[in-house]
Amino acid sequence: MSRAVTDESRESGLETPIAKRLLIGDPLTSEKLDEQLLPKRMALPIFASDALSSVAYAPQELLMILLIGGTALLTFSPWIAAAVVLVLVVVVTSYRQLIKAYPSGGGDYEVARKNLGEIPGVIVGAALLVDYVLTVAVSVASGVDNIISAIPELNPFRIEFAVGFVILIVIVNLRGVREASAVFAIPTYLFIGSVAVMIVVGLARTVAGDAPIASSAQYAVQGESLTQAAMILLILRAFSSGCSALTGVEAVSNGVPAFRKPKVRNAQQTLSLMGVIAIALFVGLVIVALVSNVHYAENPCSLVGFDCENTPQPSLMAQVAAATFGAGSIPFFIIQAATACVLLLAANTAFNGFPLLGSTLARDGYAPKALNTRGDRLVYSNGMIILGVLAVIVLIVYQADQTDLIQLYIIGVFVSFSLGQIGMVRHWRRSLRELAALTEEAAGQQSARYERRSAINGLVINSVGAGMTVLVLVIVTITKFTHGAWLVFLAIPILAVLMLGVNRYYRDVEHEIAMDDTVHFGSQGDVAIVLVNRLQKPTVKAIDYARAANHDKTLAVHINVDEAESDQLQRDWREHDVPVPLVIIDSPYRAYTSPVAGFIKKYRANHGSAVVTVYLPQYIVGHWWESFLHNRRSRRLAQQLMLLHGVSITLVPWLLDSSEVIYGRRSRPLPGQQRGGQWTPGPDHQVHNRPDSKPPTAES
C-alpha cells in the first residue's frame, strides 16, 4: 500500500493515514499559520458568502409573507425593502466601529462580556452558536431548493442532498482556511456577476418596453381576509423575514484575526464592500421580481391553477431567471447553478465563525477546551465537526424545508446585534469619560482631540445601531415567536446555562489544583508493579521497561483466578529465570482490581508513602474489529487503579503486526531477548535482584 509520509511523520515514526490525507491533506506546521491569512479578495467569499447569498432568499421570503394577504399587499414591498436596506446600512456602519475597537475576533461576544458583564456576554455567545447552526441548515436547504427548482425530479432526495452537502462542506473546511477560500471564491464571484447581469438585463428590458414576465404571474392568489391589525402584523412579519438579508454581517468582525495585515483596515473594507454588494443585489432582485410579477406563496396550493401536488414551486430566483433569459436557457442554468453553489457555500461563513467563536469561548472557560485546539490543517477542526453534526440533525428534523427553517432564523443574530451595539455604546461612553479625566495639557494634544472626535462619532453610530437593532429584535420576536421561533428562545438560555456551568466547573478545578503552601514533596520510596497474566513477549517488554526506569523495587504481580494457569506461570518464571520477584495474589471471586488495590494499600501501609507505578501491557491493533477480539482489561484496570492515592499508571504498548496499518511498521524488538531459556538483558540493562525462593508478600 502506498503512503505519503510527511517529514514530521517520518521523524516521529508515524504516517498520515491515507484516507485522512486524501480527505484533508497532510498536516501543516504551526510556522505556516501566517501563510493561511487571507487577502481581501479571498476573505470576501469566506466571510461574506452568508450575507451575499441571503439576498437569494430574503426577497422571496419578504414577498411570500405579503402574498398571504393577497397581491394587493405587494405594493408595500418597496417600502419594506427600503426599511431593510436602512437597517443593513446602519448595521454595517456600526460593525465598522466594532472592528476598530475590538479587533481580536471576539465580536459581539467580547463586546458584551467586557462592557455589559458575564451573563450578557454568555447570552450573546449562545445566541451566535445557535444562529451559526441555523445558518448552515437554512443555507443548505435553500441551495437544495434552488437545485430542485432547476431539476424538479430531484425533489424526493431533498434530505439526502442536504446532508451530503453538509458533509462535503465540512471536509473542504477541514482542509484549511486558505484551500477553502480558493474553492469558494469562484462560485461566490460567479453568483455576484451573474445575478448582477440578470438584474441589469431585466431592468433594461423593462425600460425598453419588453418587461420580463414570471411563470407564476398567470396564477391568481387566494389571499386571506385581514383586519387592519392583522395587516400591520403581516407587514411587520414580512419586514422581519426580509431582515434575513442581514445574517452574516457579524462574521467579518469575528474573523478579523484571519485577515492579512493591516487587519483592521482590511476587515473594514471587506465589510463595506460586502454591504454595498448585498444592498445592490437585494434591491435589484426585489425590483425585477415585482416587475415580472412573481407570485411565490407560503402554501403553493393557494396559487389558483398551480399543480401543487406534483410540481415543486420554483424559487423566486428561478422564476426571475426564467422570465429574464427563458426557462432552460444557458444563462438560466448558470444563474441557478451559481445561486445553488453560493447558498450551499454560505454555510462556510458559519464554518469559519462557529469554530472561531468556540475557540474564544473555550479560552475564556465557557466551552470545552477541545474547541481551542487546532487540527492538522491549522483550523479548529473540533468546532467544525460539531457544527456539521448539529446542522445535519436540524436538517433531518425539519426535512430540509427552507420555509420552516427560516422561521427559526435571525433571532439569534439580532440578539447578538442588540447586545453588541448596546455594549459598544457603553464602550464609547467609558472612553469619553477617560478622555475627560485627562489633564488640560494632555487633552489639548492633537491625538487626544482625534480620539475624542472618534469616540463621539462611534457613540452616535452605535447608539443609532443599538436603537434600530433592538426595534428589529422586538418585531422579529413578535412576528416569528408563534411560527417556531420559540424553540430558539428556549435553546439560547439552556445553552447559556450550560456554558456558565462549564465555566464554574473549570473555575472549581483551577481552584482545586492551584499550587499553595500546603503542597509538599514527601513521598518516600519508589516501587514498580508489573501486572502479569502469562509470560509472553508483551509481559517481558513491560518488565524490561520497569527495570530500565531504575525503581527502588520492582515486583511482578499475578492475580490467581485459575490454579492451573498460576502454576504454569510459576514454572515458566523459574524456567526463564526472570530477574523480578513474582507475587501471586489469590482472587476467589475472580476480580482483578480489588486484589491489586488491596495489595498496593497494604504495601503503602507497611512501607510509608511510597510512589507506586503500575505497568500494564496493552495490545495496539490496526483494525477496528480486532479491539473486540481482545480482552481490554488493561484499560479498565488503569481507569480504576488511577483512583488510588499515590498510584501512577504506565501503559506499555505491544504493536501487533496489523498495527502497521496505522504506524507503518511492525512491532519493535525487545531490548532484552530470551536466549537458551535464560534471561538476557538489553545492552543498557543490569540485573539488580534475583527471584526469591518464595513469592514475596506485601510485608516483605
Side-chain angles (χ1 to χ4, degrees):
M1 180 183 297
S2 61
R3 293 181 176 88
V5 186
T6 62
D7 292 338
E8 184 178 354
S9 65
R10 286 194 186 99
E11 291 174 5
S12 64
L14 303 180
E15 296 181 2
T16 304
I18 188 169
K20 183 176 181 181
R21 178 178 62 83
L22 290 175
L23 285 176
I24 67 173
D26 288 322
L28 298 174
T29 63
S30 299
E31 289 75 13
K32 293 185 178 181
L33 183 60
D34 287 341
E35 298 177 15
Q36 300 296 303
L37 299 179
L38 301 172
K40 294 191 292 292
R41 69 179 184 279
M42 304 304 286
L44 183 66
I46 283 286
F47 293 108
S49 56
D50 181 22
L52 295 177
S53 66
S54 62
V55 302
Y57 53 78
Q60 174 178 295
E61 295 300 315
L62 188 157
L63 298 181
M64 180 190 73
I65 299 301
L66 288 177
L67 209 60
I68 294 174
T71 55
L73 288 185
L74 292 178
T75 56
F76 291 101
S77 53
W79 301 104
I80 297 174
V84 172
V85 169
L86 177 61
V87 175
L88 183 55
V89 170
V90 171
V91 170
V92 169
T93 306
S94 299
Y95 270 90
R96 282 178 57 89
Q97 300 297 318
L98 190 150
I99 289 172
K100 178 182 177 181
Y102 294 92
S104 60
D108 288 317
Y109 159 73
E110 184 179 3
V111 173
R113 183 167 177 266
K114 289 186 175 180
N115 295 285
L116 302 178
E118 179 186 36
I119 292 179
V122 171
I123 291 174
V124 168
L128 283 174
L129 292 178
V130 170
D131 201 71
Y132 281 135
V133 175
L134 293 174
T135 294
V136 176
V138 171
S139 299
V140 170
S142 184
V144 172
D145 190 56
N146 274 271
I147 293 175
I148 293 173
S149 296
I151 311 175
E153 293 78 12
L154 299 178
N155 189 47
F157 308 101
R158 181 184 296 268
I159 299 176
E160 291 82 355
F161 271 103
V163 172
F165 281 127
V166 171
I167 294 173
L168 179 62
I169 294 170
V170 170
I171 293 173
V172 172
N173 275 279
L174 288 175
R175 294 187 66 88
V177 173
R178 191 169 185 83
E179 288 197 31
S181 66
V183 172
F184 299 149
I186 295 176
T188 302
Y189 285 119
L190 179 62
F191 170 78
I192 295 171
S194 60
V195 174
V197 169
M198 181 181 70
I199 292 171
V200 171
V201 171
L203 295 177
R205 285 184 56 183
T206 303
V207 172
D210 181 27
I213 303 299
S215 58
S216 61
Q218 59 180 310
Y219 304 126
V221 179
Q222 295 178 347
E224 300 177 7
S225 57
L226 301 172
T227 63
Q228 185 174 2
M231 184 181 299
I232 294 174
L233 190 63
L234 195 67
I235 291 172
L236 291 176
R237 186 181 167 196
F239 169 73
S240 66
S241 294
C243 282
S244 59
L246 277 76
T247 56
V249 172
E250 81 291 342
V252 178
S253 66
N254 292 334
V256 176
F259 282 82
R260 284 183 180 173
K261 297 179 180 179
K263 294 179 181 291
V264 171
R265 189 178 68 185
N266 287 338
Q268 287 180 324
Q269 291 177 353
T270 301
L271 178 63
S272 299
L273 182 60
M274 178 203 70
V276 170
I277 296 173
I279 289 171
L281 297 183
F282 177 79
V283 172
L285 278 173
V286 170
I287 293 174
V288 177
L290 291 175
V291 168
S292 58
N293 203 19
V294 171
H295 291 164
Y296 189 90
E298 185 175 37
N299 179 10
C301 293
S302 65
L303 297 176
V304 180
F306 179 70
D307 185 10
C308 62
E309 297 295 332
N310 301 310
T311 307
Q313 184 177 199
S315 65
L316 179 143
M317 187 70 75
Q319 293 190 47
V320 171
T324 304
F325 298 113
S329 64
I330 293 178
F332 168 80
F333 283 110
I334 290 176
I335 289 173
Q336 286 304 104
T339 302
C341 283
V342 81
L343 282 166
L344 293 171
L345 300 181
N348 183 67
T349 298
F351 277 99
N352 281 274
F354 186 100
L356 287 171
L357 178 60
S359 170
T360 302
L361 290 169
R363 184 189 64 207
D364 292 342
Y366 294 102
K369 299 298 184 184
L371 292 179
N372 195 31
T373 302
R374 293 186 183 270
D376 287 349
R377 303 291 292 180
L378 297 176
V379 295
Y380 297 109
S381 51
N382 291 329
M384 291 179 176
I385 293 171
I386 291 172
L387 175 59
V389 171
L390 293 176
V392 165
I393 293 173
V394 172
L395 284 166
I396 292 174
V397 169
Y398 283 87
Q399 302 290 293
D401 190 304
Q402 174 192 325
T403 301
D404 289 341
L405 287 169
I406 205 77
Q407 303 305 321
L408 309 178
Y409 206 24
I410 78 170
I411 298 291
V413 77
F414 270 99
V415 168
S416 64
F417 280 174
S418 301
L419 291 176
Q421 294 305 305
I422 293 173
M424 285 300 297
V425 170
R426 180 165 291 186
H427 165 81
W428 293 124
R429 292 180 64 181
R430 184 177 64 251
S431 297
L432 287 172
R433 287 197 300 270
E434 291 173 355
L435 290 170
L438 295 175
T439 62
E440 183 177 346
E441 180 180 353
Q445 295 179 358
Q446 184 176 357
S447 59
R449 291 197 301 270
Y450 172 79
E451 289 180 9
R452 178 176 176 79
R453 185 164 57 250
S454 177
I456 292 174
N457 291 337
L459 178 61
V460 172
I461 292 171
N462 290 125
S463 295
V464 174
M468 190 162 291
T469 53
V470 169
L471 177 62
V472 174
L473 176 61
V474 172
I475 294 172
V476 169
T477 302
I478 293 173
T479 57
K480 287 182 175 286
F481 190 86
T482 57
H483 291 81
W486 62 271
L487 285 170
V488 178
F489 283 101
L490 182 65
I492 291 175
I494 290 176
L495 184 56
V497 170
L498 289 175
M499 290 164 61
L500 288 170
V502 169
N503 182 261
R504 300 298 185 269
Y505 170 80
Y506 279 135
R507 188 181 62 188
D508 292 344
V509 170
E510 285 295 319
H511 177 73
E512 181 180 343
I513 64 177
M515 189 69 178
D516 56 33
D517 294 335
T518 63
V519 178
H520 62 281
F521 302 94
S523 298
Q524 300 174 358
D526 174 23
V527 62
I529 294 176
V530 183
L531 294 186
V532 176
N533 185 27
R534 289 184 292 171
L535 189 58
Q536 296 172 309
K537 290 180 180 179
T539 304
V540 174
K541 178 182 177 182
I543 293 172
D544 216 49
Y545 273 34
R547 295 180 69 247
N550 290 324
H551 297 278
D552 293 342
K553 192 170 189 178
T554 300
L555 301 174
V557 173
H558 172 74
I559 307 301
N560 178 20
V561 296
D562 186 296
E563 288 291 342
E565 287 187 358
S566 298
D567 292 342
Q568 182 62 47
L569 175 63
Q570 292 183 75
R571 288 194 294 270
D572 293 340
W573 210 263
R574 289 191 296 269
E575 178 184 350
H576 292 281
D577 201 17
V578 182
V580 172
L582 176 64
V583 179
I584 296 179
I585 304 174
D586 291 329
S587 179
Y589 294 100
R590 298 162 305 285
Y592 286 88
T593 305
S594 298
V596 174
F599 176 80
I600 293 174
K601 290 178 180 177
K602 195 171 184 179
Y603 186 93
R604 286 174 57 85
N606 294 333
H607 296 81
S609 56
V611 175
V612 178
T613 303
V614 179
Y615 288 82
L616 293 167
Q618 179 173 317
Y619 290 144
I620 304 298
V621 299
H623 304 101
W624 63 269
W625 50 265
E626 290 181 90
S627 61
F628 296 101
L629 303 179
H630 294 286
N631 192 331
R632 289 167 286 186
R633 186 182 300 146
S634 295
R635 195 170 295 277
R636 294 196 300 269
L637 278 169
Q639 292 174 344
Q640 294 169 327
L641 291 176
M642 281 191 292
L643 299 176
L644 295 178
H645 183 69
V647 174
S648 63
I649 308 298
T650 298
L651 295 177
V652 182
W654 181 267
L655 280 65
L656 296 178
D657 287 343
S658 65
S659 65
E660 69 175 352
V661 173
I662 302 174
Y663 291 89
R665 62 182 180 182
R666 294 181 182 271
S667 302
R668 292 176 291 182
L670 285 172
Q673 297 86 27
Q674 298 175 32
R675 297 173 183 168
Q678 295 295 318
W679 175 276
T680 303
D684 298 328
H685 299 172
Q686 294 182 359
V687 177
H688 294 288
N689 50 20
R690 309 296 296 174
D692 299 330
S693 57
K694 296 181 180 180
T697 63
E699 286 79 359
S700 62

